[in-house]
Structures are given as structure tokens and as C-alpha cells.
Amino acid sequence: MGRRARDRRRQQQQRQERGSDSGGGGDQAGWAGGYPEIVKENELFERYYRELGIVPDGEWGDFMAALREPLPATLRITGYRSHAREILHCLKEKYFKELEDLEVDGQKVEMPQSLSWYPEELAWHTNLSRKILRKSPQLEKFHQFLVSETECGNISRQEAVSMIPPLLLNVNPHHKILDMCAAPGSKTAQLIEMLHADMNDPFPKGFVIANDVDNKRCYLLVHQAKRLNSPCIMVVNHDASSIPNLQIDVDGRKEVLFYDRILCDVPCSGDGTMRKNIDVWKKWTTQNSLQLHGLQLRIATRGVEQLAEGGRMVYSTCSLNPIENEAVIASLLEKSQGENSQELTGWLIYIYSLKVMLKDGQWLEEWKDVPSNRQTQIRPTMFPVKDEEKLKAMNLERCFRILPHHQNTGGFFVAVLIKKSPMPWNKRQPKVISFKGAEMLTFNNISGLFLESNSDTEQSKKEGVCGPPPSKKMKLFGFKEDPFVFLPEDDPLFLPIQKFYALDPSFPKMNLLTRTQEGKKRQLYMVSKELRNVLLNNSEKMKVINTGIKVWSRNSDGEQFGCAFRLAQEGIYTLYPFIHERIINVCIEDVKILLTQENPFLSKFSSETQKKVKDMAMGSIVLKYDPDPTKPDDLQCPILLCGWQGKTSLRAFVPRNERLHYLRMMGVEVFKAKRKDEESESKTEEEVQHRLAQTEEGMDVEDKEHDLSDDHFHRFLSG
């Protein structure tokens, strides 16, 4: 942690201490989430939603009471890694057990609870606040665990309702996925995990293209995605309402890329987030929804245009407003003569009376009532469809609005759409490949509005078919990214690497790329074959912010040992299936030594390890730990570490947070206590931390990962 970060942390603690000493219910404020006093009232908000009837009769009081309560913090264990279950085991058997019967200031600590609807107990929620976490050593250890595991990507801080849309997409590893408005990236991370459901396949056939219009937020998206170390993710920067049509090479011919799954989580007014974003209480007006409706409809329409026949799109917002929700879906269905999916059958939706309220509180019930000077802002699509039969056929009751008081969550809206047939000018649109065991729903009839080529447009005009609106010219913002340059087939750089690591003949070397066209190549990255196809055929059409995982880094010392590139921890799980040499199997005690000591001598390792390295040449190696099922108390998931074998020593090149993670999974306590009365007890732990810091200093500059300070995560449990 830097000096300025430590100063900010100290100032925050001093302010909190002054606040708690001043009386007036300071402790209660801690349990309530530590929010400053604010009047959580908005007369226009209550009048608007009472009139629309989105809350069932007799539940209005519970609805408003829930909105005024702090939102429970929720976390999700990343599920595609093989050791997700081990993290869950550690949480339940160690940290949660320490919270049982724990009291702070005379109040019993509420135990975290799993979200019953999320698979395999991989999502949890808790009402613990930051202030309470700092009042107990056990709670502070729990907080440090969450912060550290979040930094290395094993735990994600994510709202419960935000986890729902990716689950409804029903993703399989072969799916081509578009996340239209992806930042900050928590839903994108879920999609990546689903692609990697089979950990034995390092290169699933599917991929995720994650888009965001905000150039700066794209880098936050990159940070989230990179934690998962997937070769199947690409981050791009475009306006979602005019995201370009991409092409791919299929058996030597160019074809349009249609997506099997699209997540359309559009920008919204966010009044479903009032429990955590309390400024919404003061700033809420109907104007926000009126201004966003058009953009939301354009983005959703563009999503449907790019969806493959048989594909699935999930539309979602964190807004309660029907103008942003049912009105968008109704307009989309009316355009495409479709109906809504039965995916949410049984999830209760309450009938509403759709009408528009102006900023001053005036109601407009029909489009004809809109003054001419307001007709550019208020659109006909904001009002209900007049044709009763057509409206009934849309099955809008199948949409799902989540109300905060039903399951103690934020407010949310979600709808599932299945595209059943293309529009008339989409004559060559491919169907989704049907895999055995994959469930494909066929009850929707969403039709795309995609314009395939100029020739199709001319043909459509001849046939009297109305085409889509003209496409916007692509605008590029922000920084100019370095190029993505694939290694040529005959690049001499690869031959020493292939020989040194005895790479399998099946290794896809054509998927290796660098970020420089001139000079020495310092890093080698890898993407999947499918993303390579996308990159090569669309370099002029899209602005790519980031893609690929780092698999090798240039090491100046390596050349004298036969290979100038050493393995990178980021890509080791992808590379390992193809490596046949330079692998050393180690026991759990050896792993502990590697992770806690800077540059340990070979004599410190087990005799088996010493024998294995005796005849091995110096240089980069893979250190592999396989669990022993006869020792259930030991770590029961495999570990791969990148290391370096010296003349008399053996070391691991692993980022600090990942080291702490593995040590914690092996039962080594690495929590650094901050209380003065615990300094003597934590001496050993501080020595471990010191050795870890020393080890990091020995790593190459390009290998160091910039650790985020605790200040970046100080809201982890504050909602």
C-alpha cells in the first residue's frame, strides 16, 4: 500500500473514531451500514409508483420500508476455477464458524447466508458493515479474506439481482456471446465462468465480446475480466446502439457474425438501487426514464439484429419504471411481431397501467395527449399498445420485476427473448448449432432487423420490404491502443520455446500474438482460435481495448539456458496441457516453502523434489501440486505455479495476492493484525508478509501486478 493510500486510510479511521465517540447512536449507525443521515422521502416517487400499481395491494408499506433499509452485501465465488469448492469450504469451515455465537457491542453477529437460487452455494449475502467489521479480530480477518480474494479474482462483490441475467442466458461453452453494456464487468465475469465450465478444455469454442461505450470504464472491465485468465474474452469500445456488424471466416468465405447469446443490460435511471445509492432519493424524477427510453429501445433493437436465429437475449435494468422496461419490450415485440418467453413462468409479475408522468407531476395517458413541444422527448412507444389482442399475445406478464421487499434485494427487471425467425432481408442468417443435451426454447418469435449487405438492401426495396434504419458512422474515442500482431507461421522466435518446453504438436501457435510490430517482443499473449478469427477479419471495424492472456515473458537471463521466454502465471492453466517437459511435482510442504520464502535453497525441499531437479537444466519450470485423497485435511485441489530453477535454488514467480490465496487454502494464517495488543501474536505472520514482499521485489518489472489498496475495496461490505 502506498504512502498516500495509508494516509487516506488513517484519516478515514480517525473520522470514524470521532463519529463513534460523539454518541447519538453511533453503534446503531455501524450496524445500519454507516450511512450519513438523509431523509429517505420522495413524494413524486411514491405518487408515481402507487398510481402505476407495480406493488401488490397491501404491500406498499413493506415495499417502502425495504427501500429505506441498507442493502445487504453480496459476494459470489468465481465458479469456473477448479478450486472454487475449496474456497467455499474455507469460507464455511473456517471464517463462518469463527462468527458463530460472536457478539459485538452486545449484539449477536448475523451469520452470512447463501442465496438459495444460485447454483452450488457459490453466492452469499451478509448484513455486516465496515464499522462492525473493525470491532472484532475475527470479523477483521473475515474482511481481509474477502478483500484479498476479491483482488485475485476468486470472489466477486456483486449485487444479488445482478447475478440473475447471466443465469437466464443458459450459456454453453460453444456459445458466441455479446455483452452490450458490460462495464464494470461482474456479469461479464459470470459469462466467462460459464464458458469454462469444462476445466479440461483450455480453449472452449465459444467466446465473450464485452462492449462498453465509455472508454475509461472499458479499462475497469479489462481489470475484472483479466482476473479470470481466459483466452476467450475480448473487450471493445463502441456505442451499443450502433455496434458494428462483424465478419468471420467460415471455410474460406466471409460470413456475418451472429451471436448465440446476448446480454442487454442497458443504461437506466437506477431507481431500483435506492438502497445503496441513496442520492437517488433526492434526485429521482420521471425525466430520467423519459430521456433513456429511446436509447434503451435502440440498444435492444440492435441486440436483436445481431442475434442468431434460435439465439437468446436477456434484457435487464436496475429500474422499476415500466417506461424503461415493459414499454421497451412491448415496442420490440411489436416491431418483430413476436411474443415474450415463458422462461420466467411462475415468477410473479403484477399488472400495471402504463402511462407517462411529466416532471411537474402531470399525467399523460395517450400519445394524442402529448403537447407538440414535448413530442421529441416523449415517444409513442412509451404508451401501451391499443390493440388488445396484440397486447395479450405479447405476454408481458412473463417479464419479471423484482421488488426489494420480497427477497431483501435491490429492485430489478428482466425479460428473456428467443429469436425464432429472421426478418425478410436476413435471408442468409445462420441457425444456432444444436448440440446434444442443449435445451433450445422455441416459444418466441423475435425477428431481427439486421442489414446484411447493400445487395440485400436493394433486393428488399424491390420486394417492398422495409429495412432497418441507416447505420451510424463509427466514432472512436479515448486512447489509441497498441496493435494486435499474430506471430507468423515461420517466426524463429517460437522454435526455441517449442523445444525448451517440449510443446505438444497440437499446440495452436497460430493463436500467439504480441502488442508490437517493431523491436523486441517482450510479451507473448494467446487467444482462442475463434477470437483470432474475429480479430483478423475486423481490425478496421472495431476498437479493441484488450484481448488474450499473457503466456510467456521475455527474460534476459533465459537466453543462456536455451529459451529467452519464461512462463507467465497468468496463462499457466491454459498452457499446461501442451507442456511435456520442465514440470516438477511437489508436495504440499514444498509449496508452502515456495510461497513463503524469497529464494529458498534446494536443500530445504523434500528429497523427492531434489531428485527431480538434479538433472534438469536451469530456467523456467512448472511446479505442480496434486492433492492426496488419503489426506483429506490437506488442500484438495490441484495447483500450478510458474517457477525458476537456479543453480542451487528454486523459486516461484507468483503475484502476491495469489500467494496469499494459496497459503490461506492450505491453512497457513496470513492475516496481518493491526491491533497493538496482538503484535506479539502476529510476529510470525508479519515475517511471512515480509518474505512475500521480498520475493515480489525479485520478480521482473513486467511481471509485477499493481495491487489495489484496501481503499479501492473499502465499500466491500457497505452496500
Side-chain angles (χ1 to χ4, degrees):
M1 188 185 297
R3 179 177 57 81
R4 280 185 288 186
R6 287 195 297 270
D7 290 344
R8 286 197 301 271
R9 187 89 182 267
R10 194 179 300 112
Q11 290 169 4
Q12 287 174 352
Q13 290 174 341
Q14 288 171 352
R15 285 196 297 269
Q16 287 161 356
E17 288 168 4
R18 286 197 296 271
S20 61
D21 292 341
S22 62
D27 292 339
Q28 291 298 323
W31 281 94
Y35 288 132
E37 286 298 323
I38 187 170
V39 178
K40 296 180 180 179
E41 299 285 347
N42 189 306
E43 185 180 344
L44 197 63
F45 173 89
E46 294 197 42
R47 180 185 161 199
Y48 181 73
Y49 283 121
R50 271 184 183 273
E51 181 72 19
L52 291 182
I54 68 165
V55 179
D57 292 339
E59 294 185 20
W60 183 261
D62 294 337
F63 169 71
M64 290 303 299
L67 283 178
R68 294 185 176 104
E69 288 295 317
L71 185 69
T74 48
L75 59 93
R76 182 175 56 80
I77 301 169
T78 57
Y80 88 84
R81 295 186 176 185
S82 58
H83 55 268
R85 293 179 188 274
E86 202 70 25
I87 298 171
L88 177 61
H89 177 78
C90 183
L91 261 177
K92 292 169 70 174
E93 298 302 317
K94 178 175 172 55
Y95 293 96
F96 289 171
K97 280 198 172 181
E98 289 181 355
L99 304 184
E100 290 179 1
D101 303 320
L102 181 66
E103 291 190 3
V104 177
D105 295 337
Q107 296 187 60
K108 191 175 185 303
V109 171
E110 185 177 336
M111 290 288 292
Q113 301 292 322
S114 65
L115 299 178
S116 59
W117 47 267
Y118 200 89
E120 301 182 54
E121 288 190 306
L122 293 178
W124 295 73
H125 69 98
T126 174
N127 287 313
L128 296 171
S129 70
R130 278 187 297 144
K131 189 168 184 180
I132 295 302
L133 285 170
R134 293 196 179 100
K135 290 190 174 185
S136 162
Q138 290 92 335
L139 288 177
E140 193 168 0
K141 285 183 181 181
F142 177 47
H143 185 223
Q144 289 294 322
F145 169 81
L146 295 178
V147 168
S148 181
E149 293 299 313
T150 299
E151 288 179 0
C152 55
N154 297 316
I155 285 178
S156 174
R157 165 73 164 89
Q158 184 177 357
E159 261 201 78
V161 289
S162 173
M163 302 176 195
I164 294 172
L167 293 179
L168 293 175
L169 276 175
N170 190 24
V171 169
N172 287 311
H174 64 275
H175 283 150
K176 299 182 288 291
I177 307 165
L178 173 64
D179 190 349
M180 301 189 76
C181 309
S186 54
K187 298 182 188 71
T188 308
Q190 279 181 272
L191 298 174
I192 297 170
E193 293 164 24
M194 293 171 186
L195 277 184
H196 290 273
D198 180 6
M199 284 301 295
N200 294 319
D201 183 4
F203 294 105
K205 288 184 170 58
F207 56 78
V208 177
I209 294 181
N211 173 71
D212 203 86
V213 68
D214 189 317
N215 183 259
K216 292 180 181 178
R217 280 168 62 87
C218 281
Y219 294 97
L220 180 60
L221 181 55
V222 170
H223 174 72
Q224 283 273 44
K226 270 192 168 297
R227 295 173 179 176
L228 296 170
N229 298 332
S230 170
C232 306
I233 170 71
M234 179 189 292
V235 176
V236 299
N237 179 204
H238 291 280
D239 177 353
S241 65
S242 58
I243 192 166
N245 308 322
L246 302 184
Q247 290 184 323
I248 52 175
D249 186 275
V250 180
D251 298 326
R253 67 180 187 278
K254 296 288 178 69
E255 289 194 0
V256 175
L257 171 62
F258 290 95
Y259 299 94
D260 305 315
R261 298 289 185 267
I262 293 181
L263 178 56
C264 187
D265 186 55
V266 296
C268 65
S269 62
D271 60 10
T273 69
M274 297 175 96
R275 298 183 68 177
K276 67 172 185 177
N277 298 323
I278 55 175
D279 280 353
V280 177
W281 285 97
K282 295 184 294 181
K283 297 177 180 178
W284 188 91
T285 72
T286 57
Q287 200 75 4
N288 299 334
S289 297
L290 299 179
Q291 291 172 345
L292 286 166
H293 170 86
L295 174 63
Q296 291 162 339
L297 181 54
R298 289 196 301 275
I299 293 174
T301 302
R302 187 63 184 137
V304 169
E305 288 174 2
Q306 298 211 331
L307 192 63
E309 185 181 343
R312 174 183 300 212
M313 184 174 89
V314 170
Y315 176 89
S316 62
T317 75
C318 51
S319 168
L320 299 169
N321 201 323
I323 298 292
E324 302 178 64
N325 299 325
E326 285 92 342
V328 172
I329 297 299
S331 179
L332 194 58
L333 293 171
E334 187 177 24
K335 282 184 180 184
S336 56
Q337 301 177 347
E339 64 178 84
N340 203 5
S341 157
Q342 294 178 359
E343 181 74 5
L344 303 179
T345 299
W347 292 19
L348 207 52
I349 175 73
Y350 299 100
I351 303 302
Y352 66 96
S353 174
L354 185 56
K355 49 188 176 179
V356 174
M357 178 193 275
L358 301 181
K359 192 174 181 180
D360 59 5
Q362 177 188 351
W363 286 102
L364 301 173
E365 299 197 10
E366 294 185 64
W367 167 246
K368 64 181 179 62
D369 299 333
V370 180
S372 57
N373 64 337
R374 302 299 300 272
Q375 290 184 3
T376 55
Q377 184 186 36
I378 300 173
R379 306 303 303 148
T381 51
M382 297 178 181
F383 297 90
V385 178
K386 286 189 174 182
D387 189 323
E388 289 294 328
E389 290 204 5
K390 187 185 288 186
L391 183 62
K392 185 178 180 182
M394 289 179 180
N395 294 307
L396 291 180
E397 72 280 358
R398 293 177 184 168
C399 300
F400 181 39
R401 178 178 285 101
I402 301 168
L403 299 176
H405 63 292
H406 284 167
Q407 296 191 57
N408 195 18
T409 63
F412 207 72
F413 174 89
V414 65
V416 180
L417 305 168
I418 307 288
K419 187 171 182 178
K420 194 173 180 182
S421 61
M423 291 298 250
W425 53 81
N426 263 152
K427 293 181 179 177
R428 295 200 302 272
Q429 185 169 358
K431 292 188 177 182
V432 173
I433 298 172
S434 180
F435 282 73
K436 189 175 180 181
E439 177 190 1
M440 297 306 295
L441 306 182
T442 59
F443 35 72
N444 201 316
N445 193 28
I446 293 288
S447 295
L449 306 175
F450 178 77
L451 181 61
E452 195 163 309
S453 68
N454 291 332
S455 60
D456 290 330
T457 308
E458 296 303 320
Q459 184 65 25
S460 298
K461 288 178 180 176
K462 290 177 184 177
E463 295 174 4
V465 178
C466 178
S471 59
K472 295 181 181 178
K473 185 177 180 181
M474 185 174 72
K475 296 180 181 179
L476 298 179
F477 304 97
F479 306 105
K480 184 178 180 181
E481 296 296 324
D482 292 330
F484 296 84
V485 184
F486 287 94
L487 288 189
E489 280 279 331
D490 56 350
D491 196 316
L493 192 73
F494 182 71
L495 291 175
I497 296 175
Q498 187 176 34
K499 183 178 178 181
F500 190 74
Y501 298 101
L503 296 179
D504 193 89
S506 66
F507 179 76
K509 64 179 180 180
M510 67 177 67
N511 298 345
L512 288 173
L513 60 86
T514 65
R515 300 298 302 272
T516 179
Q517 289 178 320
E518 299 176 357
K520 272 192 173 183
K521 300 175 178 66
R522 298 196 59 80
Q523 318 283 354
L524 294 181
Y525 302 87
M526 175 163 275
V527 295
S528 66
K529 180 178 72 173
E530 288 73 21
L531 272 188
R532 179 181 187 272
N533 193 344
V534 174
L535 271 172
L536 289 176
N537 289 286
N538 300 278
S539 59
E540 301 300 320
K541 288 187 174 183
M542 60 180 182
K543 181 178 179 183
V544 180
I545 300 297
N546 193 276
T547 190
I549 53 170
K550 183 167 63 177
V551 288
W552 279 290
S553 294
R554 183 178 288 276
N555 187 305
S556 55
D557 293 335
E559 294 187 25
Q560 59 183 304
F561 306 122
C563 183
F565 286 85
R566 64 174 179 79
L567 297 163
Q569 183 67 27
E570 181 180 321
I572 190 58
Y573 284 92
T574 299
L575 277 183
Y576 177 76
F578 302 100
I579 298 175
H580 294 315
E581 288 188 9
R582 312 292 302 170
I583 300 171
I584 299 175
N585 288 85
V586 292
C587 64
I588 195 165
E589 295 305 321
D590 288 341
V591 176
K592 291 177 183 177
I593 293 171
L594 286 163
L595 296 177
T596 57
Q597 298 190 27
E598 178 189 356
N599 202 8
F601 288 111
L602 288 173
S603 58
K604 292 191 175 183
F605 293 93
S606 64
S607 57
E608 290 84 356
T609 299
Q610 292 182 48
K611 288 177 186 176
K612 290 171 187 174
V613 302
K614 185 178 179 182
D615 299 322
M616 190 177 286
M618 290 189 287
S620 184
I621 55 172
V622 180
L623 299 155
K624 186 185 182 191
Y625 163 76
D626 286 313
D628 185 350
T630 64
K631 298 179 180 179
D633 292 336
D634 285 353
L635 183 66
Q636 290 299 304
C637 67
I639 294 177
L640 294 174
L641 304 176
C642 289
W644 184 272
Q645 181 188 339
K647 192 172 182 179
T648 60
S649 63
L650 195 64
R651 67 182 304 179
F653 282 100
V654 182
R656 178 177 178 273
N657 283 322
E658 206 162 331
R659 288 170 176 265
L660 295 176
H661 160 70
Y662 287 131
L663 287 169
R664 200 178 284 114
M665 294 301 101
M666 290 184 288
V668 178
E669 184 57 77
V670 293
F671 172 70
K672 185 177 178 181
K674 297 182 178 66
R675 290 176 174 76
K676 291 182 179 179
D677 58 356
E678 294 177 3
E679 283 181 358
S680 59
E681 295 179 15
S682 65
K683 186 176 179 181
T684 303
E685 295 159 4
E686 289 180 12
E687 288 172 357
V688 170
Q689 296 268 6
H690 177 65
R691 285 196 292 269
L692 291 177
Q694 285 181 323
T695 303
E696 288 229 316
E697 289 170 8
M699 294 173 66
D700 291 348
V701 174
E702 68 266 23
D703 250 3
K704 290 189 178 180
E705 293 191 358
H706 296 289
D707 291 334
L708 296 177
S709 70
D710 274 348
D711 294 288
H712 289 261
F713 292 88
H714 74 281
R715 292 187 178 179
F716 194 100
L717 293 173
S718 69

